[in-house]
Amino acid sequence: MKKKPIRHRKSNASKKAGLPPGSITYIGKERSEAAILEMISYNPQELSKVKYDTCAELHKNMQPNSVNWINVDGIHNYQLINEFHDIFKLDNLLLEDVSNTNQRPKVEEYENYLFLSLKMLRYDEVEKTIDSEQISLVLSKDYVISFQEKTGDVFGHIRERIEAPKGQIRSKKNDYLFYSLIDSIVDNYFIAIENIGNDLEDLEDEIFNDPSQKSLQKIHAYKNVLLVLRRSIYPLRESVNKLLRDNDKFISPKNIKYFNDVHDHTIQIIDILESYRDVVSGLKDSYLSSLSLKMNQVMQVLTIMATIFIPLTFIAGIYGMNFETIPELKWEYGYYYFWAISIAIGIGLLFYFKKKKWL
């Protein structure tokens, strides 16, 4: 069977070659849409949601006694990302990681802020592929920044909770918002894995009932999907574990329990992921077994047909010989006798095979 070639996402990673550390260069899929800079500021009494054109303007309007959530859609905009170095004094090495969409999930602590990169994953049930988008989060005592490759995310319910005046999130600080963003992404992994699990059940039925080359292609597709998930979730577990160990400077002790919950979720996802990898491996064995069974059934039918025709061919061969002294050659009803004997032999063999449970 001819395999489909693995298509890698086109990027401009070659631009990075030869540049010194800390060079802010966007590495990822080429994009032309305008970047969006938005800030949501809230406290138990007040809420504001405003879009800005520049970081300087946004920085000027930050609320000192509120949680300031700054969201950037479009890290391909070099000028905008560079403004975070000039205005927010974010380290160039951090912004370099933000601009590199091939970055492995990780966590790093700086003097005044905490940096975490992770993957937001969406499962395409039609194409059987994973759409991976890098999310970078920066936690400071004054703000939380989320950097995204493009518009559209899984933070809609967080925005709804912020808009609710009596919601728990309105009474919490920056570290709780930081947790909520991570938790939302991790919870979305469960949705992707659940859909994959449903598709694997359908594929298992397909392989059992009617295996085909498309079934084998689907097995390889799911193997690649689970590989992408594994590469994203395992490093995230390590990152969350590091958050729990080393970052009481930015995370309040009373909120550690929430990050413990996220860590437990990552472990649970990994357990499910490993079980699905075993399922996919088993599906390949089931596919080969189903093909062998199908081939054996075909060979069984052909063998039975050949066995039935062997005595008939023998009889026809004898009376087809050109000897004048064959005893039954001149019987008046010899032709009908031949058919009667042939049919009787065929029926007798069928009953014999049935009795032996070969049919």
Side-chain angles (χ1 to χ4, degrees):
M1 183 189 71
K2 185 177 180 181
K3 291 185 179 180
K4 293 183 178 180
I6 298 176
R7 297 181 179 179
H8 298 279
R9 184 173 66 173
K10 183 180 179 181
S11 67
N12 50 4
S14 59
K15 293 182 180 180
K16 188 68 179 174
L19 295 178
S23 299
I24 303 173
T25 302
Y26 172 68
I27 298 177
K29 186 178 180 181
E30 295 292 342
R31 300 188 180 280
S32 59
E33 63 267 26
I36 300 175
L37 180 62
E38 181 183 56
M39 181 171 67
I40 300 177
S41 299
Y42 63 89
N43 56 43
Q45 292 78 33
E46 299 177 342
L47 169 67
S48 66
K49 182 178 179 182
V50 184
K51 293 182 179 180
Y52 296 92
D53 295 325
T54 64
C55 281
E57 183 183 1
L58 180 147
H59 190 268
K60 187 187 303 183
N61 289 280
M62 288 179 59
Q63 304 298 319
N65 297 319
S66 301
V67 175
N68 297 288
W69 175 17
I70 302 165
N71 186 66
V72 181
D73 293 336
I75 58 176
H76 59 280
N77 188 322
Y78 165 80
Q79 290 80 7
L80 179 60
I81 299 301
N82 197 56
E83 287 182 18
F84 281 91
H85 169 71
D86 300 333
I87 305 300
F88 287 85
K89 307 305 178 184
L90 296 185
D91 193 279
N92 276 345
L93 289 174
L94 182 153
L95 295 174
E96 179 185 13
D97 290 338
V98 167
S99 301
N100 183 4
T101 62
N102 299 326
Q103 178 63 51
R104 183 178 184 266
K106 68 175 184 177
V107 62
E108 290 183 349
E109 181 180 347
Y110 293 82
E111 183 178 357
N112 298 317
Y113 43 81
L114 184 68
F115 171 72
L116 172 68
S117 68
L118 66 165
K119 300 293 184 181
M120 182 165 59
L121 306 176
R122 298 182 181 89
Y123 175 60
D124 189 330
E125 297 183 53
V126 177
E127 298 294 332
K128 312 302 179 188
T129 57
I130 288 288
D131 178 26
S132 175
E133 177 185 353
Q134 176 167 299
I135 302 293
S136 300
L137 303 176
V138 179
L139 169 64
S140 169
K141 293 182 178 180
D142 300 321
Y143 54 78
V144 175
I145 306 176
S146 54
F147 295 94
Q148 304 184 49
E149 290 184 50
K150 54 188 177 181
T151 58
D153 51 41
V154 295
F155 303 144
H157 69 285
I158 296 179
R159 296 183 178 92
E160 292 175 358
R161 288 164 55 194
I162 292 174
E163 292 174 359
K166 297 183 180 180
Q168 182 183 22
I169 196 170
R170 289 284 290 271
S171 61
K172 298 289 187 177
K173 300 300 181 181
N174 293 328
D175 57 343
Y176 186 82
L177 174 62
F178 184 71
Y179 146 75
S180 298
L181 297 175
I182 300 172
D183 184 61
S184 180
I185 293 174
V186 172
D187 285 346
N188 195 61
Y189 292 170
F190 282 105
I191 298 175
I193 288 181
E194 181 181 357
N195 292 331
I196 293 172
N198 293 334
D199 286 350
L200 287 177
E201 290 180 3
D202 294 339
L203 180 58
E204 187 175 12
D205 293 337
E206 177 184 323
I207 290 174
F208 181 78
N209 295 320
D210 187 23
S212 64
Q213 288 189 348
K214 288 185 178 180
S215 302
L216 186 58
Q217 292 174 357
K218 290 179 181 178
I219 291 174
H220 286 292
Y222 287 121
K223 185 177 180 181
N224 292 332
V225 164
L226 295 177
L227 181 60
V228 172
L229 285 170
R230 192 173 190 272
R231 289 174 177 172
S232 300
I233 296 173
Y234 269 81
L236 178 59
R237 180 189 61 176
E238 299 170 6
S239 298
V240 175
N241 190 38
K242 186 176 180 181
L243 280 175
L244 292 170
R245 293 196 317 265
D246 306 330
N247 290 290
D248 53 351
K249 178 180 177 181
F250 298 99
I251 299 174
S252 171
K254 63 182 180 181
N255 287 331
I256 289 294
K257 61 182 179 181
Y258 298 114
F259 289 89
N260 268 319
D261 184 63
V262 172
H263 185 256
D264 291 341
H265 286 173
T266 58
I267 294 176
Q268 183 179 355
I269 291 171
I270 288 173
D271 290 340
I272 298 173
L273 181 61
E274 291 302 322
S275 67
Y276 283 173
R277 292 185 69 193
D278 293 338
V279 168
V280 170
S281 298
L283 285 178
K284 189 171 183 179
D285 295 336
S286 298
Y287 170 79
L288 296 176
S289 299
S290 296
L291 283 185
S292 298
L293 178 61
K294 195 174 182 180
M295 181 63 68
N296 288 338
Q297 291 174 342
V298 172
M299 293 302 298
Q300 183 183 29
V301 173
L302 294 178
T303 302
I304 289 174
M305 292 179 62
T307 303
I308 292 174
F309 278 93
I310 286 174
L312 306 185
T313 304
F314 174 75
I315 295 173
I318 290 177
Y319 290 98
M321 294 187 296
N322 295 322
F323 293 105
E324 293 184 1
T325 57
I326 295 179
E328 298 87 2
L329 190 61
K330 295 184 179 181
W331 285 3
E332 180 178 359
Y333 299 104
Y335 174 77
Y336 302 104
Y337 294 152
F338 167 79
W339 277 111
I341 294 171
S342 298
I343 293 173
I345 291 175
I347 294 175
L349 288 174
L350 287 174
F351 274 110
Y352 178 76
F353 296 149
K354 191 71 174 179
K355 185 177 181 181
K356 290 289 186 178
K357 297 183 179 180
W358 295 346
L359 284 177

